[in-house]
Amino acid sequence: METLGHLINGHMVHEGQRQQSIYNPATGAVARQVSLASVATVESAIAAAHQAYPAWRNTPAIKRARIMFRFKELLEQNATRIAELIGEEHGKISHDAMGELQRGIENVEYACGAPELLKGEHSRHVGPNIDSWSEFQPLGVVAGITPFNFPVMVPLWMFPMALVCGNTFVLKPSERDPSSTLFIAQLLQEAGLPDGVMNVVNGDKEAVDTLLHDKRVQAVSFVGSTPIAEYIYATATANGKRCQALGGAKNHAIVMPDADMDNTVNQLIGAAFGSSGERCMALSVAVAVGDATADRLIAGMQAAMSSLKVGAYTDSHNDFGPVITREHQQKVLGFIDSAEQQGAHVVVDGRHIEVCGHEQGFFVGGTLIDHVSPEMHSYKNEIFGPVLQVVRVKTMQEAMDLINAHEYGNGTCIFTRDGEAARYFSDHILVGMVGINVPLPVPVAYHSFGGWKRSLFGDLSAYGPDAVRFYTRRKTITQRWPSAGVREGVEFSMPTMK
Amino acid sequence: METLGHLINGHMVHEGQRQQSIYNPATGAVARQVSLASVATVESAIAAAHQAYPAWRNTPAIKRARIMFRFKELLEQNATRIAELIGEEHGKISHDAMGELQRGIENVEYACGAPELLKGEHSRHVGPNIDSWSEFQPLGVVAGITPFNFPVMVPLWMFPMALVCGNTFVLKPSERDPSSTLFIAQLLQEAGLPDGVMNVVNGDKEAVDTLLHDKRVQAVSFVGSTPIAEYIYATATANGKRCQALGGAKNHAIVMPDADMDNTVNQLIGAAFGSSGERCMALSVAVAVGDATADRLIAGMQAAMSSLKVGAYTDSHNDFGPVITREHQQKVLGFIDSAEQQGAHVVVDGRHIEVCGHEQGFFVGGTLIDHVSPEMHSYKNEIFGPVLQVVRVKTMQEAMDLINAHEYGNGTCIFTRDGEAARYFSDHILVGMVGINVPLPVPVAYHSFGGWKRSLFGDLSAYGPDAVRFYTRRKTITQRWPSAGVREGVEFSMPTMK
Amino acid sequence: METLGHLINGHMVHEGQRQQSIYNPATGAVARQVSLASVATVESAIAAAHQAYPAWRNTPAIKRARIMFRFKELLEQNATRIAELIGEEHGKISHDAMGELQRGIENVEYACGAPELLKGEHSRHVGPNIDSWSEFQPLGVVAGITPFNFPVMVPLWMFPMALVCGNTFVLKPSERDPSSTLFIAQLLQEAGLPDGVMNVVNGDKEAVDTLLHDKRVQAVSFVGSTPIAEYIYATATANGKRCQALGGAKNHAIVMPDADMDNTVNQLIGAAFGSSGERCMALSVAVAVGDATADRLIAGMQAAMSSLKVGAYTDSHNDFGPVITREHQQKVLGFIDSAEQQGAHVVVDGRHIEVCGHEQGFFVGGTLIDHVSPEMHSYKNEIFGPVLQVVRVKTMQEAMDLINAHEYGNGTCIFTRDGEAARYFSDHILVGMVGINVPLPVPVAYHSFGGWKRSLFGDLSAYGPDAVRFYTRRKTITQRWPSAGVREGVEFSMPTMK
Amino acid sequence: METLGHLINGHMVHEGQRQQSIYNPATGAVARQVSLASVATVESAIAAAHQAYPAWRNTPAIKRARIMFRFKELLEQNATRIAELIGEEHGKISHDAMGELQRGIENVEYACGAPELLKGEHSRHVGPNIDSWSEFQPLGVVAGITPFNFPVMVPLWMFPMALVCGNTFVLKPSERDPSSTLFIAQLLQEAGLPDGVMNVVNGDKEAVDTLLHDKRVQAVSFVGSTPIAEYIYATATANGKRCQALGGAKNHAIVMPDADMDNTVNQLIGAAFGSSGERCMALSVAVAVGDATADRLIAGMQAAMSSLKVGAYTDSHNDFGPVITREHQQKVLGFIDSAEQQGAHVVVDGRHIEVCGHEQGFFVGGTLIDHVSPEMHSYKNEIFGPVLQVVRVKTMQEAMDLINAHEYGNGTCIFTRDGEAARYFSDHILVGMVGINVPLPVPVAYHSFGGWKRSLFGDLSAYGPDAVRFYTRRKTITQRWPSAGVREGVEFSMPTMK
């Protein structure tokens, strides 16, 4: 059985000490083994990045960007293989995996614009014959720690921008599904990246803690759950590093009485159940304004959910696949149980799904729960499964108060035709990413991704314009040249030279 | 004797519990008393800011900016009084105090441009009929904690930008010289700021810790020494707040063999001794490249220093005044002693200065020390006094290695006529603010202020463009309107309406 | 009787050759005389500006901006006097004149941000050790030619931005009402502007043609009617000058069936009749979608117009005043007559208005015309009077086709509650300034003003960000320093110097 | 013999009316024939572009950009073929042709960043509940008219940016060497561009005038000689089109006494003789400050020029090739004759060069002329051949005065080590593109290209950031939603729906 190693200084490195199994969640079988890096291995990756830094930092931005142009081509040429690797270890259906890759490629495209993005500000004449300008210089070695749910896209949120800004990188992907991540890192080597500029270490907490404590690491980008994000942020900043740590979410959609209900239902189906709900931008709570609205919504969802197809990634007709592990499957089922016990009404029940030929897969069926209320366990926590809960309120203000009171503030959405409702909502909601009739308002790659409240720790959002600021340090130069130099002296000095 | 209170919700508030003396450092006598705020008082200030927030946040940016236009006028009209208050408690000579105020006013001028600075990015058609844009929304209540050495300028680095971005503010100025700070806050009220938007609490660690732990405070800006900056940063971020904490410095000037030596000496005199060296941008180390350069530099400095005038703020012919406290005076003298003991040569000795009529003042004379080396106590630490140390090296690279090895990275400078030397220096030096023949490269208000390494904790610099990003949260809206609405329905529906 | 002269090189200059009468349009009486500048006088103004240019161009932008800070204060302090001068010669009611001044002041406020606005773009390392950056340098002497309808606001669209960019200026205001323009130019001198930087010449075509042909004039900004704008643009560009020439308009509002009709009527009253309709952004055509909408609109407008008050500027209860001249009054009345003759229905007729005590004033009452169609004379042309015409269409698309077919494309608006209708409209309408439920969508001063089609000749819009680009020339510097200079040579050369 | 046609609506179109010969300038033989488009053919190209516009304009910018990503790949894959086609018709040596292509590709790379570049500015809350934002919308059909000297690069300055902004395009390349231009247009089709979006017509004045007068053409970009540029600009603007027309140049290098002479000579060789001097950025005048400097420069150039190799494009060891036509060859020789006759000293004489095996080629050898003075015919005019003239002056100021007095202001350069001289020069020289020790200061693709004075007619520079502004119209939307809509009405209206 294949054992995955680490990409360090341009080469695959294997280490025998500790290993862990990677499962195919559609079958429940072990697919591969992965080495878990020791402190020494992580340090060798950091050392490689540290050594590669000076030359890379001195490479003009346009040349760094051109490697990204080539990387984009290779990602596109290898799309099918990448989607397969995602499917095998994550369980995502191929169309979903291709979508993930496409969103990742958009970040590579954005990174191709590095020369424009890295421009500083120049001021002639800030004082008598004094000029001043700013430069955005790279930080040095930076690290990324990424989650299982987007093994390709989330790494691509980080390293393309970090690299074109002139940094070198050490990435620790999720140990659940690292194959696709490792594969794209190898494509980046093939695109012409010098050895050591990009390194990948597989591992667990030992690897993470090594990255968090090593003095050579200047910054850490993290995406994962809120408790871990909080730990990463506190530890990294206490160690003098720059850090942005993105955590959990509980994304609400307000459904207004004037919403186009067909459209709303269509949108919610994908946003709630796509990728088995294992997305930090999954739409997991629908807040219906008025019982009439709620009733129409429930009826529409129930009808639409009857044709949802759940199964293995190998059949592209499936809508979504299994969740990542058996433990997680049990956790999701537990949330449904608890909602029921606390008085909610399970309208569509995905707890007892059987996928023919994949009886050992970690499947949960699409689940719709009505009459959920804010004190319920299933409402307070992020379920990260294919479960849509409906809360009924009387007014839009009540709906907004609910959202603003939740500890998370990642994404949210409103379904309405009314310009005023949309504007009031987007202005006053305490959430970082807002959709107007768009249930999954993930910003495009040329904007930035960031939640509010306990969904993001740090000042700057991920990817897009904020990434430039995160992955660079501002340097401001103020310049005055003393006069009476060669310019004025010429006429006088010339005769003496003859 | 006057006792200073707190400005809370538009009113001066006094509290009897704890007080501290404010000294006139030129005489050594107590000038005033200042109340030290209790937890309850600080919380009432936070509460006032919290209550004032919603209305202020909904005020158009142009209206917030107009209060800054008016504030600028009032600062200019009251310049003499402000400079006096600085002089009485800090000891700064009037021309220096006026300079401080002027640099502060520049930040108010920059804040007047809020409508331009707060523009978000708008993208039509990010997908089929989908638009997306970003907004930079205020954070809520933010706090500032400022040092004694610039009681007017450093607060003005913070609150004008924080306020025009839509935040409300609680400021804790230094308890050593708070009168000028309180005075300008009152001018801001007079300029038309609504009650509670800006609050000032005097205090000590109790006040600071209250600000750091209160959940309503969203962000903290700090300027002070590195150990405190580190504490502030770690505590604020662990409490979920955004933080930027600016600390100490050890600013080196490289003097190249081709430098215009007259100009160099003139510049260094001001940069090393101005404001008694109590500036985080004070130029405290000159690194001479080559002994010939060093000898000419020492000779020039020695000559120029002979006419330095030290005394009380009331005489504008003085070049600089006392240091802030007797304790600090002793500390500075101790650094000079240690340098001498460790083998350096005190060329000009300011240890035994006597200022006629101000025998109890906390004076230290301008001091020049040659043959300083990197292992000396006086080299490793920030002296924060009127002491210039000279280190001799053989090459420019050696000079740069010295700077890059120091724990601080606030400001630095090179004196040369050579374009290539200047460019290499500014590119490769690990310092945030770089001067080319400019010894005090404080960025102008429309650029941003920030050191590197242990001179700044946080991602974003102070004032200027970075301040907009620090004092706002990014919100990204993605919008799609469902079709088949009033636009297309009109022709059909009209006949039925008749 | 007072005769107005010219402001040249800081002084009022009088010239006896040619004069013209200025009328008080509310009384029909001559208020003042104005000198009409000869070629020689205009050339002396250009010469003054040319001479003042080098020093002004070398003044740091922040210092130029500070004169604008002071200018703003003076405009505010003299607001009443400025409004009176506008009223006396233009006839605008005081609240309207104060509004005009306020919009003008906003442009002064924007100009205060010059240091930010003039920043160039800096790229370190565009190639090996090569840097490149852009600067936006001033043009030299620039001219402005402004219309009667906004004697204060339109000049303030131009010269504050032109001046802070480092240019010097010659302004030729309308000879119908130049007093307020001259007065604010004098306030600018008082604010500290050096002599010659800003000059005002009164005059007619002779003055205009002198400005258009003089080689020292680098750029011309014009606002007026389309035929003149076209002439100005063709002549200025043929003479090698940069030019932006803003012309006429025919601004349509689409009223959708779902519009809030009370709000719509309220908005239209001000937008159609304010300032007697003598605004290039006046809303002169309402396009009602569906007869039911049209009927409600007509009924609402008729009711609201019954309380419109027309009269002299001296009574602030009046809603609007006279038009500018007797000739123009006759022209406006002629348009109403022609509409009636071509089959439209004059619902509210302002042709026979009598203003008690001002029988000789140039008044036209508020007029509402229904059933207007595109082939009518009154539809094709800009009326520039207090006349609102209603066109009835069946669909929104028909309304948009009408707007897109008109030769002008200055402003337009839609009244609706529907997000999709608003978005489709703003995306596809061929008009430069678009309102959603905002009938007078004049961009705020920190955006830019510009129509499409025959409403603007030139590439760049007026004021705001585009003004920076219009009033500056881009200069791009590419820099590489030869190595082996003082930096590397030091170690070697030092011994030889001993 | 092959006859080149036109690329219209995705297909090659041939027309029999008028043809012209294309020469191989290295042999003097006819290489191909090219059709010259009639009015009708040009109009059919415009019609195709006009028809393709609505769908292209509605294509999201990211999708338009992705065609440019693919286009870049195809240009790189076909580089050798493109260089050959340039060589065959222009005579450029392969390394030079590859350099031209590379500079062109950089503009394609910049165009790939369209989504970032097209962002508008969004202001929330410009007034109570009012938002405002700008969009940069495409113009429609735009045209490009390009010169023989860069048949690939100059077209790539124009159409990639025009297209990603949403415009459709009609290109008229030089009829001297259109094959490479046509070839890359076909590659763009292959990259996935929809038919009609990009069209190429070959032709002469008839084609140009058709483009200048057709109402559907919204803008014209031109690069060529100054007299034609002036005609294009005047005609296009008089026809209501936006226009930028780049003309001739006379680029001076100042050589200062402190210049690194070896480096200076090396740089000048390439800048003066590369591409036979047929570049608008060719360095054609060296201004030596002081006779000693001049003598060293002449000696250095003479030595370096002795190894210059001139010949056919097929031998990559050649430094440069022939000029474009026999007529042009005679014109260049005439300038050398006239300089000699007017008293200049021809130091290195390229008039009698013989290239073995290419006796009929249009060659001129590298020529160096000393003691040139400003009144000479050869100084006043653009030679556009491999001729470097040296002017001797006494001071830097005299050198700058010379440059500032010339009618052209395209590029210039200074050779010095002195920071102050460089800064003074770049600040005060009246030239749009300035080099510091960079003799050919063509801005990189992410900055913009534009001369001053009679080198550019129009407000905006070519390519880079200015191209976005040139190829788009600003639209500003101001939006307020009426309240009391669905948001507030919900609670009340719900019961009635039951």
Side-chain angles (χ1 to χ4, degrees), chain C residues 102-124:
Chain C
Q102 180 54 32
R103 293 303 294 233
I105 288 174
E106 288 174 19
N107 293 93
V108 179
E109 292 169 346
Y110 189 69
C112 291
E116 177 72 16
L117 303 172
L118 284 166
K119 284 176 177 172
E121 298 181 321
H122 186 274
S123 297
R124 162 102 3 177

Side-chain angles (χ1 to χ4, degrees), chain D residues 412-475:
Chain D
T412 192
C413 162
I414 190 168
F415 288 99
T416 183
R417 290 180 174 288
D418 188 84
E420 201 272 338
R423 199 271 184 189
Y424 184 86
F425 175 72
S426 73
D427 191 15
H428 292 283
I429 204 73
L430 299 178
V431 172
M433 296 175 283
V434 180
I436 312 294
N437 299 303
V438 172
L440 227 63
V442 181
V444 289
Y446 41 103
H447 287 261
S448 292
F449 184 106
W452 285 16
K453 296 192 282 187
R454 288 170 60 73
S455 291
L456 185 149
F457 300 87
D459 308 347
L460 294 162
S461 298
Y463 69 71
D466 267 15
V468 181
R469 194 68 194 84
F470 182 77
Y471 290 123
T472 60
R473 272 197 194 92
R474 183 186 283 270
K475 184 183 269 186

